[in-house]
Amino acid sequence: MAESPGATSCPGTFAKAWAKAVSGTSYLPMTQAQLETLLHRLTGQLAGALTAEPFDVRAGYRVGAELVAAHIASAEGLGRTVEVIQLRLIRDLGLVAEDVEDRMARLLAAVATGYARALRDRTLDEQESIRRAAMMARTQAERALRASEARFRHQATHDPLTGLPNRTLFTERLTAALNEPGRGAQRVGVCFIDLDRFKVVNDTLGHQVGDRLLTTVAERLCQTVGEHLVARLGGDEFVILVERSGGTEDMVAMAEAALAAVRTPALVDGHELQVSASIGIVERQVAGANPSDLMRAADSTLHWAKSAGGARWALYDAERNRRELARYALSAAIPAALERGEFYLDYQPLTSLRDGRLVGVEALVRWRHPELGVLRPDSFIGLAEETGLIVQLGGWVLAEACREAEAWSAGGTAAPFVSVNLAVRQVHRPGLVQEVRGLLRQTGLPPERLQLEITESTMMSTAKEPVRALRVLADLGVRIAIDDFGTGYSNLAYLRDLPVTELKVAGEFVAGLRSPSVGRTDERILASLVSLAHALDLTVTAEGVETAGQAERLRAIGCDAAQGWHFGRPAPADRILARIR
């Protein structure tokens, strides 16, 4: 076998096509460039096998095994591999021979066989590793427990300040309660207690007063819970162990009693002190429970009570815990998702109510998650804002929107501006002006074709630097819009001194215009907003327009533009370009 006369061998082209086909079929611990390098090497092995004399399928086995070793280990990944090899390998490498089809079929079978064998072997190896690790962990745990008992046995097991059992004794009691023979069907409960804002007592009155307050709290808890174990874990953290729980109702009643005992005023060194506490409650069957999981659940539940304002108890909810773990996993995946190119933009049209012309589009980010499918912004933007990743993600959105929007002017017609939402953290970044300038220079997008959408709360910030930065951008020609106007401060007076060119009226007002017989109040409010905005030389865009009736009523009151499903749903950049042309 040989290359066809005049054909051009393109292993690099084929490797890129192969990499594109398997990307996203499973999580790969490598960059796209590394993936292409790997597949380029495997392409050479496949080509060598097809041209070898005599023909030998062993290279196919090796290629299949290497794919599994590189974590391209899903049914979809194998299917796409077989498809791209079958359709493109011979063509891209320009290979010809009388028996090329027969060789290709046998080589593909060898790849699939090698893939299946390697996947089977890897699974068996992982199972054996897990079994050995479990045995080792169990052995180590038993050794550690014996060593711990020997190391800490004539040492103290009580807190020197309060006299309560300390963490060591509490853990021993909890472990014993869970491991006691014949108790699998019985139940156990834990109340994890933390004093609210106790640090204020130490900071204002001194640690001596704080220590005496802790002693008082310890005495009250012991009096309240009777026979049950009360321990001090450290600082202002206490825990109550109920080795034989009667159910969640009993645990809640105990938590209520503990809260009442803590909040009773205490006289300490002439100071009348009153503190509150937060409690996390975990109650479950002994069978299947272990100390670390129980305390981890109690700690999470305590934080739920704290985040709700404190001075209360919270009961462990497995579903809520699952959702929070899922949220954490999703937020942690954002940086890698950006690197893998899983985010993309859709654009929603902003249409003139005067002549129906497309005046702009709003960029809306989407996440093509390999496991969860396409995620809308409300699934991950909040997480990105909480973790600070919104700066990285928002920067990508801004850059991608500028890059795609610049291409829309190639048709020779008046291209729309692109509107991009800026998060509070982005607006407060010192380098915002330099970032926008750099993007405009790199992409060639005219400043007047970029609009930055800011929330009202961001514009009302007392910090002067963000406003100064937006004013510099406005002087460059960049459009500045207030997003969701009407849901925040709704104060037109402060707009006089800010570099704003457009108001985007919140969809809540527009929703009332769906029927001619209703929404008169909303219509009057909108008419007033439009009139006042025009007096300040601002344009007004209505959000959430879904019907022709809404559009007509907005047009009648003088609204400049609108967006919503009536004018078009969010769509990829190529559809926007097609609409422009």
Side-chain angles (χ1 to χ4, degrees), residues 58-133:
R58 285 179 295 180
Y61 299 145
R62 292 194 296 272
V63 169
E66 285 206 49
L67 290 175
V68 174
H71 300 279
I72 307 173
S74 68
E76 185 179 7
L78 175 59
R80 292 188 181 181
T81 291
V82 171
E83 181 181 14
V84 76
I85 292 175
Q86 188 173 33
L87 295 178
R88 297 194 55 159
L89 182 62
I90 295 175
R91 184 192 68 193
D92 285 4
L93 271 63
L95 303 175
V96 294
E98 292 181 357
D99 61 344
V100 66
E101 297 297 337
D102 178 66
R103 289 191 175 197
M104 174 59 74
R106 293 173 61 190
L107 185 62
L108 284 176
V111 170
T113 301
Y115 188 98
R117 288 174 179 172
L119 194 60
R120 178 200 61 196
D121 293 342
R122 190 182 76 167
T123 302
L124 292 175
D125 290 343
E126 289 174 347
Q127 291 175 344
E128 180 62 16
S129 297
I130 292 173
R131 187 186 68 80
R132 291 180 178 178

Coordinates of all heavy atoms in Angstrom, one line a residue, residues 58-133:
R58 N -1.7 -5.7 15.2 CA -1.3 -5.4 16.6 C -1.2 -4.0 16.9 O -1.4 -3.5 18.0 CB 0.0 -6.1 16.9 CG -0.1 -7.7 17.0 CD 1.2 -8.3 17.3 NE 2.1 -8.2 16.2 CZ 3.3 -8.7 16.2 NH1 3.8 -9.4 17.2 NH2 4.1 -8.6 15.1
A59 N -0.9 -3.1 15.9 CA -0.9 -1.7 16.1 C -2.2 -1.2 16.5 O -2.4 -0.3 17.3 CB -0.4 -1.0 14.9
G60 N -3.3 -1.8 16.0 CA -4.7 -1.4 16.4 C -4.9 -1.7 17.8 O -5.6 -0.9 18.5
Y61 N -4.4 -2.9 18.3 CA -4.6 -3.2 19.7 C -3.9 -2.1 20.6 O -4.5 -1.6 21.6 CB -4.0 -4.5 20.1 CG -4.6 -5.7 19.4 CD1 -3.8 -6.8 19.0 CD2 -6.0 -5.7 19.1 CE1 -4.4 -7.9 18.3 CE2 -6.5 -6.8 18.4 CZ -5.7 -7.9 18.0 OH -6.3 -8.9 17.4
R62 N -2.7 -1.7 20.2 CA -2.0 -0.7 21.0 C -2.7 0.7 21.0 O -2.7 1.4 22.0 CB -0.5 -0.6 20.4 CG 0.3 -1.8 20.7 CD 1.8 -1.5 20.4 NE 2.0 -1.1 19.0 CZ 2.3 -2.0 18.0 NH1 2.4 -3.3 18.3 NH2 2.5 -1.5 16.8
V63 N -3.2 1.1 19.8 CA -3.9 2.3 19.7 C -5.1 2.3 20.7 O -5.4 3.3 21.4 CB -4.3 2.6 18.3 CG1 -5.3 3.8 18.2 CG2 -3.1 2.9 17.5
G64 N -5.9 1.2 20.6 CA -7.1 1.2 21.5 C -6.7 1.3 23.0 O -7.4 1.9 23.8
A65 N -5.6 0.6 23.3 CA -5.2 0.6 24.7 C -4.7 2.0 25.1 O -4.9 2.5 26.2 CB -4.0 -0.4 24.9
E66 N -4.0 2.7 24.2 CA -3.5 4.0 24.5 C -4.6 5.0 24.7 O -4.5 6.0 25.5 CB -2.5 4.5 23.4 CG -1.1 3.8 23.5 CD 0.0 4.7 22.9 OE1 0.0 5.9 23.3 OE2 0.7 4.2 22.1
L67 N -5.7 4.9 23.9 CA -6.9 5.7 24.1 C -7.4 5.6 25.5 O -7.8 6.6 26.2 CB -7.9 5.4 23.1 CG -7.6 5.7 21.6 CD1 -8.7 5.2 20.7 CD2 -7.5 7.3 21.4
V68 N -7.6 4.4 26.0 CA -8.1 4.2 27.4 C -7.1 4.8 28.4 O -7.5 5.4 29.4 CB -8.3 2.7 27.6 CG1 -8.7 2.5 29.1 CG2 -9.4 2.2 26.7
A69 N -5.8 4.6 28.2 CA -4.8 5.1 29.1 C -4.8 6.6 29.1 O -4.5 7.2 30.2 CB -3.4 4.6 28.7
A70 N -5.2 7.3 28.0 CA -5.3 8.7 28.0 C -6.7 9.2 28.5 O -7.0 10.4 28.4 CB -5.1 9.2 26.6
H71 N -7.5 8.3 29.1 CA -8.8 8.6 29.6 C -9.9 9.0 28.6 O -10.9 9.6 28.9 CB -8.7 9.8 30.7 CG -7.8 9.5 31.8 ND1 -8.2 8.7 32.9 CD2 -6.5 9.8 32.0 CE1 -7.2 8.6 33.8 NE2 -6.2 9.2 33.3
I72 N -9.6 8.6 27.3 CA -10.7 8.7 26.3 C -11.4 7.4 26.4 O -11.3 6.5 25.6 CB -10.1 8.9 24.9 CG1 -9.2 10.2 24.9 CG2 -11.2 9.1 23.9 CD1 -8.4 10.4 23.6
A73 N -12.2 7.2 27.5 CA -12.7 5.9 27.9 C -14.2 5.9 28.1 O -14.7 5.5 29.1 CB -12.0 5.5 29.2
S74 N -14.9 6.3 27.1 CA -16.3 6.3 27.1 C -16.8 5.6 25.8 O -16.1 5.6 24.8 CB -16.9 7.6 27.2 OG -16.7 8.4 26.1
A75 N -18.0 5.1 25.8 CA -18.6 4.5 24.6 C -18.7 5.5 23.5 O -18.4 5.2 22.3 CB -20.0 3.9 24.9
E76 N -19.0 6.7 23.8 CA -19.1 7.8 22.8 C -17.8 8.1 22.2 O -17.6 8.3 21.0 CB -19.7 9.0 23.4 CG -20.0 10.1 22.4 CD -20.7 11.3 23.0 OE1 -20.8 11.4 24.2 OE2 -21.0 12.2 22.2
G77 N -16.7 8.1 23.1 CA -15.4 8.4 22.6 C -14.9 7.3 21.6 O -14.3 7.6 20.6
L78 N -15.2 6.0 21.9 CA -14.8 4.9 21.0 C -15.6 5.0 19.7 O -15.0 4.9 18.6 CB -15.1 3.6 21.7 CG -14.9 2.3 20.8 CD1 -13.4 2.3 20.3 CD2 -15.2 1.1 21.5
G79 N -16.9 5.3 19.8 CA -17.7 5.4 18.6 C -17.3 6.5 17.7 O -17.2 6.3 16.5
R80 N -16.9 7.7 18.3 CA -16.5 8.8 17.4 C -15.1 8.5 16.8 O -14.8 8.9 15.7 CB -16.4 10.1 18.3 CG -17.8 10.6 18.6 CD -17.7 11.9 19.3 NE -19.1 12.4 19.7 CZ -19.3 13.6 20.2 NH1 -18.3 14.4 20.5 NH2 -20.5 14.0 20.6
T81 N -14.3 7.8 17.6 CA -12.9 7.4 17.1 C -13.1 6.5 15.9 O -12.5 6.7 14.8 CB -12.1 6.7 18.2 OG1 -11.8 7.6 19.2 CG2 -10.9 6.1 17.6
V82 N -13.9 5.4 16.0 CA -14.2 4.5 14.9 C -14.7 5.3 13.7 O -14.3 5.0 12.5 CB -15.1 3.4 15.3 CG1 -15.5 2.5 14.1 CG2 -14.4 2.5 16.4
E83 N -15.6 6.2 14.0 CA -16.3 6.9 12.9 C -15.3 7.8 12.1 O -15.2 7.8 10.9 CB -17.4 7.8 13.4 CG -18.1 8.6 12.3 CD -19.2 9.4 12.9 OE1 -19.2 9.6 14.2 OE2 -20.1 9.9 12.2
V84 N -14.4 8.5 12.8 CA -13.5 9.4 12.2 C -12.4 8.7 11.4 O -12.0 9.0 10.4 CB -12.9 10.5 13.2 CG1 -11.9 9.8 14.1 CG2 -12.4 11.7 12.5
I85 N -12.0 7.5 12.0 CA -10.9 6.7 11.3 C -11.5 6.1 10.1 O -10.9 6.2 9.0 CB -10.4 5.6 12.3 CG1 -9.6 6.2 13.4 CG2 -9.5 4.6 11.5 CD1 -9.2 5.2 14.5
Q86 N -12.7 5.6 10.2 CA -13.3 5.0 9.0 C -13.6 6.0 7.9 O -13.4 5.7 6.7 CB -14.6 4.3 9.4 CG -15.3 3.5 8.4 CD -16.5 2.7 8.9 OE1 -17.2 3.2 9.8 NE2 -16.7 1.5 8.4
L87 N -14.0 7.2 8.2 CA -14.4 8.2 7.2 C -13.3 9.0 6.7 O -13.3 9.4 5.5 CB -15.5 9.1 7.8 CG -16.8 8.5 8.2 CD1 -17.8 9.5 8.7 CD2 -17.5 7.8 6.9
R88 N -12.2 9.2 7.5 CA -11.2 10.2 7.1 C -9.8 9.8 6.9 O -9.0 10.4 6.3 CB -11.3 11.4 8.1 CG -12.6 12.1 8.1 CD -12.5 13.4 8.9 NE -11.5 14.3 8.3 CZ -11.4 15.6 8.5 NH1 -12.4 16.2 9.2 NH2 -10.4 16.3 8.0
L89 N -9.4 8.7 7.6 CA -8.0 8.3 7.7 C -7.4 8.1 6.3 O -6.4 8.7 5.9 CB -7.8 7.1 8.6 CG -6.4 6.7 8.7 CD1 -5.6 7.8 9.4 CD2 -6.3 5.4 9.5
I90 N -8.1 7.2 5.5 CA -7.5 6.9 4.2 C -7.5 8.2 3.3 O -6.5 8.4 2.6 CB -8.4 5.8 3.6 CG1 -8.2 4.5 4.4 CG2 -7.9 5.6 2.1 CD1 -9.1 3.4 3.9
R91 N -8.6 8.9 3.4 CA -8.7 10.1 2.5 C -7.6 11.2 2.9 O -6.9 11.7 2.1 CB -10.1 10.7 2.7 CG -10.3 11.9 1.8 CD -11.6 12.6 2.2 NE -11.5 13.3 3.5 CZ -12.5 13.8 4.2 NH1 -13.7 13.7 3.7 NH2 -12.3 14.3 5.3
D92 N -7.5 11.5 4.2 CA -6.6 12.5 4.7 C -5.2 12.2 4.4 O -4.3 13.1 4.2 CB -6.9 12.9 6.2 CG -8.1 13.6 6.4 OD1 -8.9 13.9 5.4 OD2 -8.4 14.0 7.6
L93 N -4.8 10.9 4.5 CA -3.4 10.5 4.4 C -3.2 10.0 2.9 O -2.0 9.7 2.6 CB -3.1 9.3 5.3 CG -2.6 9.8 6.7 CD1 -3.7 10.6 7.4 CD2 -2.1 8.6 7.6
G94 N -4.2 10.0 2.1 CA -4.0 9.7 0.7 C -3.5 8.3 0.4 O -2.6 8.1 -0.4
L95 N -4.0 7.3 1.2 CA -3.6 5.9 1.1 C -4.4 5.2 0.0 O -5.6 5.3 0.0 CB -3.7 5.2 2.4 CG -2.9 5.9 3.6 CD1 -3.2 5.2 4.9 CD2 -1.4 5.9 3.3
V96 N -3.7 4.4 -0.8 CA -4.4 3.6 -1.8 C -3.8 2.2 -1.8 O -2.7 2.0 -1.6 CB -4.4 4.2 -3.2 CG1 -5.1 5.5 -3.3 CG2 -2.9 4.4 -3.6
A97 N -4.7 1.2 -2.0 CA -4.3 -0.2 -2.2 C -5.5 -1.0 -2.6 O -6.7 -0.6 -2.3 CB -3.6 -0.7 -0.9
E98 N -5.2 -2.2 -3.2 CA -6.4 -3.0 -3.6 C -7.2 -3.5 -2.4 O -8.4 -3.6 -2.4 CB -5.9 -4.2 -4.4 CG -5.3 -3.8 -5.7 CD -4.9 -5.0 -6.5 OE1 -4.9 -6.1 -6.0 OE2 -4.4 -4.8 -7.7
D99 N -6.5 -3.8 -1.3 CA -7.1 -4.3 -0.1 C -7.3 -3.3 1.0 O -7.3 -3.7 2.2 CB -6.4 -5.6 0.4 CG -4.9 -5.2 0.8 OD1 -4.5 -4.1 0.4 OD2 -4.3 -6.0 1.5
V100 N -7.3 -2.0 0.7 CA -7.3 -1.0 1.8 C -8.6 -1.1 2.6 O -8.5 -0.9 3.8 CB -7.2 0.4 1.1 CG1 -8.4 0.7 0.3 CG2 -7.1 1.4 2.3
E101 N -9.7 -1.4 2.0 CA -11.0 -1.5 2.8 C -10.9 -2.7 3.7 O -11.4 -2.6 4.9 CB -12.2 -1.6 1.8 CG -12.4 -0.4 0.9 CD -12.7 0.8 1.7 OE1 -13.2 0.7 2.9 OE2 -12.5 1.9 1.2
D102 N -10.4 -3.8 3.2 CA -10.3 -5.0 4.1 C -9.3 -4.7 5.3 O -9.6 -5.0 6.4 CB -9.8 -6.2 3.3 CG -9.6 -7.4 4.2 OD1 -10.6 -7.9 4.7 OD2 -8.5 -7.8 4.4
R103 N -8.2 -4.1 5.0 CA -7.2 -3.7 6.0 C -7.9 -2.7 7.1 O -7.7 -2.9 8.3 CB -6.0 -3.1 5.4 CG -5.1 -4.1 4.7 CD -3.8 -3.5 4.3 NE -2.9 -4.4 3.7 CZ -1.6 -4.3 3.6 NH1 -1.0 -3.2 4.1 NH2 -0.8 -5.2 3.0
M104 N -8.6 -1.8 6.5 CA -9.2 -0.8 7.4 C -10.2 -1.5 8.4 O -10.3 -1.2 9.6 CB -9.9 0.3 6.6 CG -10.7 1.3 7.5 SD -9.7 2.2 8.7 CE -8.8 3.3 7.6
A105 N -11.0 -2.4 7.8 CA -12.0 -3.1 8.7 C -11.3 -3.9 9.8 O -11.7 -3.8 10.9 CB -12.9 -4.0 7.8
R106 N -10.3 -4.6 9.4 CA -9.5 -5.4 10.4 C -8.8 -4.5 11.4 O -8.8 -4.8 12.6 CB -8.5 -6.3 9.7 CG -9.2 -7.4 8.8 CD -8.2 -8.1 8.0 NE -7.2 -8.8 8.8 CZ -6.1 -9.4 8.3 NH1 -5.9 -9.4 7.0 NH2 -5.3 -10.1 9.1
L107 N -8.3 -3.4 10.9 CA -7.6 -2.5 11.9 C -8.6 -1.8 12.9 O -8.3 -1.7 14.0 CB -6.9 -1.4 11.1 CG -6.0 -0.4 11.9 CD1 -4.9 -1.2 12.6 CD2 -5.4 0.7 11.0
L108 N -9.8 -1.4 12.4 CA -10.8 -0.9 13.3 C -11.2 -1.9 14.3 O -11.5 -1.6 15.5 CB -12.0 -0.4 12.5 CG -11.8 0.9 11.7 CD1 -13.1 1.2 10.9 CD2 -11.6 2.1 12.7
A109 N -11.4 -3.2 13.9 CA -11.8 -4.2 14.8 C -10.7 -4.4 15.9 O -11.0 -4.6 17.1 CB -12.0 -5.5 14.1
A110 N -9.4 -4.3 15.5 CA -8.3 -4.4 16.4 C -8.3 -3.2 17.4 O -8.1 -3.4 18.6 CB -7.0 -4.5 15.6
V111 N -8.6 -2.0 16.9 CA -8.7 -0.8 17.8 C -9.7 -1.1 18.8 O -9.6 -0.8 20.0 CB -8.9 0.4 17.0 CG1 -9.2 1.6 17.9 CG2 -7.7 0.8 16.1
A112 N -10.9 -1.5 18.4 CA -12.0 -1.7 19.3 C -11.7 -2.8 20.3 O -12.0 -2.7 21.5 CB -13.3 -2.0 18.5
T113 N -11.1 -3.9 19.8 CA -10.7 -5.0 20.7 C -9.7 -4.5 21.8 O -9.8 -4.8 23.0 CB -10.1 -6.1 19.9 OG1 -11.1 -6.6 19.0 CG2 -9.8 -7.3 20.8
G114 N -8.6 -3.8 21.3 CA -7.7 -3.3 22.2 C -8.3 -2.3 23.2 O -7.9 -2.3 24.4
Y115 N -9.2 -1.5 22.8 CA -9.9 -0.6 23.6 C -10.7 -1.3 24.7 O -10.6 -1.0 25.9 CB -10.9 0.3 22.8 CG -11.5 1.4 23.4 CD1 -11.0 2.7 23.3 CD2 -12.7 1.2 24.2 CE1 -11.6 3.8 23.9 CE2 -13.3 2.3 24.8 CZ -12.8 3.6 24.7 OH -13.4 4.6 25.2
A116 N -11.5 -2.3 24.3 CA -12.3 -3.1 25.2 C -11.4 -3.8 26.2 O -11.7 -3.9 27.5 CB -13.2 -4.1 24.5
R117 N -10.3 -4.5 25.8 CA -9.4 -5.2 26.7 C -8.8 -4.2 27.7 O -8.7 -4.5 28.9 CB -8.3 -5.8 25.9 CG -8.8 -7.0 25.1 CD -7.6 -7.6 24.2 NE -8.0 -8.7 23.4 CZ -7.2 -9.3 22.5 NH1 -6.0 -8.8 22.3 NH2 -7.6 -10.4 21.8
A118 N -8.3 -3.1 27.2 CA -7.7 -2.1 28.1 C -8.7 -1.6 29.1 O -8.4 -1.4 30.3 CB -7.1 -0.9 27.3
L119 N -9.9 -1.3 28.7 CA -11.0 -0.8 29.6 C -11.3 -1.9 30.7 O -11.4 -1.6 31.8 CB -12.2 -0.5 28.8 CG -13.3 0.4 29.5 CD1 -12.7 1.7 30.0 CD2 -14.5 0.6 28.6
R120 N -11.4 -3.1 30.2 CA -11.6 -4.2 31.2 C -10.5 -4.3 32.2 O -10.7 -4.4 33.4 CB -11.8 -5.5 30.4 CG -12.0 -6.8 31.3 CD -11.6 -8.0 30.6 NE -10.2 -8.0 30.1 CZ -9.7 -8.8 29.2 NH1 -10.5 -9.7 28.6 NH2 -8.4 -8.8 28.9
D121 N -9.2 -4.3 31.7 CA -8.1 -4.4 32.6 C -8.0 -3.3 33.5 O -7.7 -3.4 34.7 CB -6.8 -4.5 31.7 CG -6.7 -5.8 30.9 OD1 -7.4 -6.7 31.2 OD2 -5.9 -5.8 30.0
R122 N -8.3 -2.1 33.0 CA -8.3 -0.9 33.9 C -9.3 -1.0 35.0 O -9.1 -0.7 36.2 CB -8.5 0.4 33.1 CG -8.2 1.6 34.0 CD -8.5 2.9 33.2 NE -9.9 3.2 33.1 CZ -10.4 4.3 32.7 NH1 -9.6 5.3 32.4 NH2 -11.7 4.5 32.6
T123 N -10.5 -1.5 34.6 CA -11.6 -1.7 35.6 C -11.2 -2.7 36.7 O -11.4 -2.5 37.9 CB -12.9 -2.1 34.9 OG1 -13.3 -1.1 34.0 CG2 -14.0 -2.3 35.9
L124 N -10.6 -3.8 36.2 CA -10.2 -4.8 37.2 C -9.1 -4.3 38.1 O -9.1 -4.6 39.3 CB -9.7 -6.1 36.4 CG -10.8 -6.9 35.7 CD1 -10.2 -8.0 34.9 CD2 -11.8 -7.4 36.6
D125 N -8.1 -3.5 37.5 CA -7.1 -3.0 38.3 C -7.6 -2.0 39.4 O -7.2 -2.0 40.5 CB -6.1 -2.3 37.4 CG -5.2 -3.2 36.6 OD1 -5.2 -4.4 36.9 OD2 -4.6 -2.8 35.6
E126 N -8.6 -1.2 38.9 CA -9.2 -0.2 39.9 C -9.9 -0.9 41.0 O -9.8 -0.5 42.2 CB -10.1 0.7 39.1 CG -9.4 1.7 38.2 CD -10.4 2.5 37.4 OE1 -11.6 2.2 37.3 OE2 -10.0 3.5 36.8
Q127 N -10.6 -2.0 40.6 CA -11.3 -2.7 41.7 C -10.4 -3.3 42.7 O -10.6 -3.3 43.9 CB -12.2 -3.8 41.0 CG -13.4 -3.3 40.2 CD -14.2 -4.3 39.5 OE1 -13.6 -5.4 39.3 NE2 -15.4 -4.0 39.1
E128 N -9.3 -3.9 42.1 CA -8.3 -4.5 43.0 C -7.6 -3.4 43.9 O -7.4 -3.6 45.1 CB -7.2 -5.2 42.2 CG -6.1 -5.9 43.0 CD -6.6 -6.9 43.9 OE1 -7.7 -7.4 43.8 OE2 -5.9 -7.4 44.9
S129 N -7.3 -2.2 43.3 CA -6.7 -1.1 44.1 C -7.6 -0.7 45.2 O -7.2 -0.4 46.3 CB -6.4 0.0 43.1 OG -5.4 -0.3 42.2
I130 N -8.9 -0.6 44.8 CA -9.9 -0.2 45.8 C -10.0 -1.2 47.0 O -10.0 -0.8 48.2 CB -11.3 0.0 45.2 CG1 -11.3 1.2 44.3 CG2 -12.4 0.2 46.2 CD1 -12.5 1.4 43.4
R131 N -10.0 -2.5 46.6 CA -10.0 -3.5 47.6 C -8.8 -3.4 48.5 O -8.9 -3.5 49.8 CB -10.1 -4.9 47.0 CG -10.4 -6.0 47.9 CD -10.3 -7.4 47.2 NE -8.9 -7.7 46.8 CZ -8.0 -8.1 47.5 NH1 -8.2 -8.4 48.8 NH2 -6.8 -8.4 47.1
R132 N -7.7 -3.3 47.9 CA -6.4 -3.2 48.7 C -6.4 -2.0 49.6 O -6.0 -2.0 50.7 CB -5.2 -3.3 47.8 CG -5.0 -4.6 47.1 CD -3.8 -4.6 46.2 NE -3.5 -5.9 45.6 CZ -2.5 -6.1 44.8 NH1 -1.7 -5.1 44.5 NH2 -2.4 -7.3 44.2
A133 N -6.9 -0.8 49.0 CA -6.9 0.4 49.7 C -7.8 0.3 50.9 O -7.5 0.8 52.0 CB -7.3 1.6 48.8

